[in-house]
Amino acid sequence: MNVAPLEDLLHSVAELTGDLRALGVDEGETLLVQAATRSIGPVDGRSAGVVAALREVLGPAGTLVAYTATPENSETSQLYRDAIAPLDPAGVRAHRATMPPFDRDATPASPTMGRLSEEIRTTEGALRSAHPQTSFAALGPLAGWLTERHDLNSHLGEGSPVQRLLEADGRVLLVNVPWTCCTVFHLAEYRQDAPPLQQYGCVMAGAGGARQWVRFTAPAVTTAHFLDVAETVLRDSGKVARGRLGHAPCFLLPIREAVDFADKWLRNKQD
């Protein structure tokens, strides 16, 4: 008799719900999820099944949030720099002419964000913030408040959904993603005295769908320090929960504390 390998067994929504509750996800909380869903293993309903499990645990009073960024439309993203590196000037112009303009309602989350982000964005009732490079999508009673403000010069700082996630005492669930993906750490960079600034540019959909380039100045952000911050958080915080979702290892941590640790780490580095 042929027996399917353990990693090939289909996870039910009920099983994932049990995993999330065992991890400590609470009914009614606000939860940002950043996930590599393939590592969970096969799921009944695929990414929609993962969303169903998350919403079941959060309940009607909870709010589910995803990072739905779009580096494909940005002339300042690493994705763009990698794409044009081998091109001659004519090739660069051709590439820029085909870069997809950001449309808040229609532009998919980047594949680099993982399938779960796009699943949440396209779930009925989801709302999305308007930033053309670093948008967030949310489902639940706080979705409108979380996404209504996203200043152009505040990708991931005050004036963005990250600040409101902190104000809501939200938590972030990392599902088998590296600590360099812990987006909320970036908020600490905006809190530093005179953070370095950078010119950004991206293409957006204007009136009637016309393409238009938008350029602006905002703090420069980096993930270079994230692993050091994460090491400090894991060592010194008593509020980080560890567990599994299906086969995927997970970390669950309070956003306010994560940002505070990152802020202190950055300030100590400057001293």
Side-chain angles (χ1 to χ4, degrees):
M1 182 177 69
N2 293 327
V3 179
L6 180 62
E7 62 269 20
D8 291 339
L9 296 178
L10 198 66
H11 297 290
S12 69
V13 171
E15 288 175 318
L16 297 186
T17 298
D19 289 345
L20 290 165
R21 289 191 171 121
L23 185 61
V25 177
D26 294 329
E27 182 176 356
E29 75 169 302
T30 299
L31 186 69
L32 170 66
V33 182
Q34 297 184 260
T37 51
R38 185 174 296 180
S39 63
I40 297 171
V43 175
D44 186 14
R46 305 181 73 176
S47 54
V50 179
V51 171
L54 287 161
R55 298 186 78 186
E56 173 66 24
V57 174
L58 292 174
T63 300
L64 177 62
V65 186
Y67 187 34
T68 54
T70 49
E72 292 81 2
N73 78 325
S74 169
E75 66 182 4
T76 41
S77 70
Q78 187 61 49
L79 201 66
Y80 173 80
R81 292 192 289 270
D82 291 343
I84 67 168
L87 303 179
D88 60 18
V92 172
R93 289 193 295 272
H95 176 79
R96 290 172 65 85
T98 60
M99 288 169 63
F102 177 77
D103 182 299
R104 179 181 188 171
D105 298 321
T107 300
S110 173
T112 62
M113 297 297 105
R115 175 59 199 166
L116 190 67
S117 288
E118 179 64 0
E119 188 69 49
I120 292 170
R121 185 192 76 84
T122 56
T123 298
E124 184 177 359
L127 298 175
R128 189 185 199 181
S129 67
H131 201 285
Q133 294 176 325
T134 56
S135 63
F136 288 76
L139 284 162
L142 293 185
W145 176 74
L146 283 166
T147 61
E148 67 181 356
R149 180 183 178 187
H150 202 158
D151 298 347
L152 195 60
N153 64 353
S154 185
H155 291 88
L156 301 163
E158 283 85 359
S160 83
V162 179
Q163 174 64 31
R164 292 203 165 178
L165 281 164
L166 182 147
E167 292 172 6
D169 287 325
R171 292 194 288 177
V172 57
L173 173 62
L174 303 175
V175 182
N176 197 35
V177 296
W179 283 98
T180 51
C181 292
C182 189
T183 305
V184 298
F185 283 154
H186 283 301
L187 179 56
E189 294 174 273
Y190 289 76
R191 295 184 168 185
Q192 304 311 297
D193 299 328
L197 300 178
Q198 178 180 328
Q199 292 292 316
Y200 292 89
C202 59
V203 60
M204 299 180 62
R211 293 164 56 85
Q212 62 179 27
W213 282 89
V214 176
R215 292 180 175 83
F216 55 95
T217 302
V221 295
T222 176
T223 63
H225 56 285
F226 280 20
L227 293 179
D228 291 324
V229 172
E231 182 179 344
T232 302
V233 171
L234 292 173
R235 184 187 67 234
D236 298 338
S237 172
K239 298 181 181 179
V240 179
R242 309 178 195 215
R244 304 189 79 82
L245 182 59
H247 301 306
C250 301
F251 291 98
L252 177 66
L253 62 154
I255 291 172
R256 186 181 298 277
E257 186 175 55
V259 173
D260 285 346
F261 268 100
D263 186 10
K264 291 175 184 176
W265 189 94
L266 288 168
R267 293 182 187 280
N268 289 338
K269 182 181 178 183
Q270 293 171 2
D271 292 342

